[in-house]
Amino acid sequence: MEVFGKLGDGRATIATDLDILAPVRARSFLAPLALVLTLALATTAPAAVENPCEGSQARELLCPNLEIAPPSELYVQVAGPQVRLRATSDVQSRGLGPMELRGRRDGPRSMRTNQRIYRKAGGHITVPTGAKLRFTYVGTYFGGSYWKVHQLATFELIRVRPDGTLGEVVRTSPKLNYCLRDLTRTQASRRSPSNRVYPGCNQDPSRERVALGTSVGWSDIYPAAYHQQWIDVAGLRGCFVYRMTVDPGEHLFESNENDNRSQRRVRLPYRGPSSC
Ligand SMILES: [Ca+2]
Ligand SMILES: [Ca+2]
């Protein structure tokens, strides 16, 4: 299938639990993109665009759908005055087609994006999105800087009232910029390519264009130890919900915009899994 065409080569490039010791080097998408970027990217700022995956056109499209697994592998790290409750996140691609973004430079460390949505009958449509790519530094341990989707996910801590209902959001994570990539195939199906189509994110700050995405059935996973993968819970006591949301700004077009959250309850101070 066309959607399985490879956009780069090599392994995933962002260190995680699974490939934390893998060598990190700049990816060159230039050659494959010379073939696939025959489509001109929009040159105007994205206006409000109707979601093609929710309109009458949707039945003709292989629309993507992102979900996020419940927070896992939680642990506490004391960092100065902060008590960081860290958690692993798992952004899952679960639609009929991949989530694929094409970035084009619009600033020193910024790109605007178009989303490519494949058609069932072949070919694709291109839709401008409000999502931005940022050239994001994640520390030397995790390989330096990458072109990532700005604020692809947020983590929030929400108080659970004595009656069990949810109260206000009391803490949030730093802004979480993530790649979209194929790290782990977490749900095999006939629509899910068996090999990586989007193996890693570009590390070249001079690039004018990049492509990134996550294939159907694959996940982009960030371990609890990863850059900014935490909420500061210092001073908090009681029962809370640790919630993760993918695409909180609702910039990416999906077949289901209502399944982008997951959560679990935690008791603070955190001393491991407990019911509350
Ligand atoms: Ca979704
Ligand atoms: Ca969305």
Side-chain angles (χ1 to χ4, degrees), residues 64-67 246 254-260:
N65 187 36
L66 297 180
E67 299 175 14
V246 62
E254 304 169 58
S255 54
N256 187 344
E257 303 288 359
N258 299 312
D259 61 356
N260 289 20

Side-chain angles (χ1 to χ4, degrees), residues 178-239:
Y178 287 160
C179 291
L180 290 165
R181 60 178 175 156
D182 293 335
L183 181 69
T184 304
R185 193 182 190 214
T186 46
Q187 188 176 84
S189 72
R190 67 181 182 85
R191 293 194 177 278
S192 174
S194 54
N195 296 308
R196 290 180 174 123
V197 177
Y198 313 94
C201 287
N202 195 280
Q203 294 195 265
D204 182 351
S206 69
R207 291 298 299 267
E208 290 297 314
R209 294 179 171 91
V210 298
L212 64 176
T214 305
S215 299
V216 176
W218 286 72
S219 280
D220 186 9
I221 299 169
Y222 293 88
Y226 196 69
H227 180 66
Q228 297 189 327
Q229 196 79 6
W230 47 264
I231 297 173
D232 179 14
V233 298
L236 296 180
R237 180 172 294 275
C239 186

Side-chain angles (χ1 to χ4, degrees), residues 115-132:
Q115 184 175 332
R116 176 174 287 197
I117 304 173
Y118 290 89
R119 294 180 177 276
K120 290 178 179 174
H124 60 265
I125 64 170
T126 299
V127 194
T129 84
K132 289 278 195 170

Side-chain angles (χ1 to χ4, degrees), residues 150-166:
H150 181 55
Q151 208 161 8
L152 186 68
T154 53
F155 303 171
E156 297 171 311
L157 203 64
I158 301 155
R159 186 177 297 280
V160 179
R161 301 189 186 102
D163 66 1
T165 61
L166 296 187

